[in-house]
Amino acid sequence: MTMDRLPCVLLSATADLRGLFGAALSQIADRVEILDHPAENPERVRLALGWRPPADALARYPNLAALCSIAAGVDNLLACPGRPPDLPVVRVVDPDQARAMSGFVLWHVIGHQRGFAVYAANQRDRVWRRLHPRDASAVPVGLLGYGQIGRRVAGDLAALGFPVRAWSRTPHEADPGITHHHGPDGLGAMLGASEVLVNLLPLTPETRGLLDARLFSRLRPGGYVIQVGRGEHLVEADLLAALASGHLAGAALDVFATEPLPAGHPFWDHPAIRITPHEACEASPQAVARTLLATAEAVRAGRVPPDTVDAARGY
């Protein structure tokens, strides 16, 4: 007996989801029917796979049982107009994504520790000068966020000898070698002990604008910021001011409030800022397909899909 396929519509105003994930989704085509928006017979549609959906898209499908992201972040789906408040929103959990993020963060942390930006300038100017960089043990790193990705980043940094502190909103049991902080008091303690700050937080009303002048001032002088959370976490003018004052030595930015970053933005030409185009890590197409299939099976069985986020918390 062949099981009916559960119809799933692709919803995005900014990305070609079929082009990005079509090959992987074809591997689950016996269980999930992939439809383009706007789908015929919208009342049939039970699932949606989305990234920045069109504003009116969700209202077209009255019988949706779950809305899946293509990434770990779900803020754009939670904020979508017309989203029923009880519609489960599912994020992607991909161990390969955590490994990729860790490699990206380590690249920037080690670059700060070893003075790679100075070496690049010296090469340009044909200057032969050794910097005698500090040992990793002299460069404490603080992490904002201690979820699946944060734990991987923290463990890899600690394995290289960096002192690591991690902060989260609520208490967590820390892994060996990691000092954990939580809550408002814990945030201050973590910042005051950190030279490098890595932002891995989800975007919520509480974290929007968190990377501001007050937070930067609590880092050790000569601090370095690695921003891989969401662009809306950062108050851009405050970062430029902290760099101009010398309190921050530099920043690595992978996410921005406006993407692509406008050509005239001051970040492009700033000598202490390193820019990458929002590609620190991505969930693999296979992980997206696995998440969608697990969601379909849960919906078919009348269960809450795995990796459903808490909409009130935003993650």
Side-chain angles (χ1 to χ4, degrees), residues 256-282:
F256 305 89
T258 300
E259 295 182 358
L261 189 66
H265 199 287
F267 286 169
W268 282 114
D269 297 321
H270 200 292
I273 293 178
R274 300 288 171 265
I275 289 173
T276 48
H278 201 151
E279 60 176 8
C281 69
E282 295 181 351

Side-chain angles (χ1 to χ4, degrees), residues 23 35-36 75 129 139 148 152 199 229 234 238 258 271 293 305:
L35 306 170
D36 294 313
D75 48 278
R129 181 166 65 91
V139 184
Q148 183 219 14
R152 175 62 189 253
N199 177 39
L234 177 64
D238 288 1
T258 300
L293 179 58

